[in-house]
Structure formats: C-alpha cells, structure tokens
Amino acid sequence: MSEDGGSHLLGEDMQMRLVEGGPVDYTFRTDKPVEYVAVANEANGILGYLWACDADDAAGWEGRLAAGAIAMNGSRYWYGRLREAKTRGLQPSLALAELSTDTEGGWSGHLVPGSRAIAASVSELREKARDGWEPPSPAPAPRGRGR
C-alpha cells in the first residue's frame, strides 16, 4: 500500500494472459453432439455424466441436481481425471474410454458399465441431469414470541 492508502498496483496492467506450461484442459463448451457416460456411487446412485466431443476437443461434467452437493464435490475428481488425460494427449472420447475402466468407486463414483450414449448437445445432457430434481420447499416462516 502506498502512503495515501491506495495500492501501488492500481496503475499496473492486470490483464489475464495464458502462460506456457500452465494447466491443460479440454474445452468446456461445444454445440455439437456429445458422447457421455453415467457416473454413480453405491450410496446415491447416478451423480452425473461425463461427456466428450472430439470435434471441438471438448469434455466436461454435468452433475445431477438431485444428487446435490455430492455431485458437485465429485466433479473435482472427474475434472482432475480429464485434465490428466488431456495432459497425456488423449482425445476426449479416448479419455472416456479409459475412465470407463475406473472401478475405484468411493464418493466420487465410478463410470456405469454400458451407460455410454450420445446426446444431441450439452444442453440436452444438462436437461437429463435435471431429471428427478425438485426445487426445495419454501422454508416455514419463523415463529415469533407470543404465538
């Protein structure tokens, strides 16, 4: 901080720039059809779907809303596995094929054998991930004193 309480960095160029050697990821967006596989664990059933599109070098995760926080937490594990596959130069569909052999299970889940399918788009898969989700009921009004 400078003497007047302001930061000495306010005059610096703070633009984000890609740097060589940083993390490598598949693209997270595509408007093309995607291959996908279901991910499940024993306690919660289907947690979400891993998807891939070779045409756009894209891959990602769509968590099932009905699985809640467990699906969100599992996404970290699966994004990490996708990053490892990308670092090794695998096409997205080959990454899905390799991950299909993951029988480790646990809270992050495992790929469900025989669940590989195709969706017309990530949006269609996102709708599938919404199936079974119910918005929470409104919380009851707090009770005041004297009631």
Side-chain angles (χ1 to χ4, degrees), residues 43-138:
N44 305 97
I46 295 177
L47 302 176
Y49 304 94
L50 278 175
W51 59 266
C53 175
D54 287 346
D56 285 336
D57 195 38
W61 166 266
E62 285 300 324
R64 272 194 69 237
L65 290 176
I70 293 170
M72 176 83 67
N73 293 337
S75 70
R76 289 184 52 105
Y77 173 78
W78 292 106
Y79 275 122
R81 297 293 308 273
L82 287 171
R83 178 175 280 175
E84 290 170 10
K86 175 65 174 174
T87 301
R88 289 184 285 118
L90 291 180
Q91 288 183 313
S93 62
L94 293 176
L96 278 188
E98 182 180 278
L99 292 174
S100 293
T101 64
D102 188 334
T103 58
E104 208 170 286
W107 286 106
S108 298
H110 61 276
L111 274 62
V112 177
S115 67
R116 197 164 183 156
I118 295 176
S121 65
V122 174
S123 295
E124 180 180 295
L125 185 57
R126 192 169 291 130
E127 285 302 312
K128 181 177 182 68
R130 286 180 176 265
D131 286 349
W133 182 75
E134 295 285 330
S137 302

Side-chain angles (χ1 to χ4, degrees), residues 29-42:
R29 296 182 191 169
T30 183
D31 58 357
K32 295 178 176 68
V34 296
E35 294 179 67
Y36 69 92
V37 290
V39 174
N41 71 17
E42 297 298 320

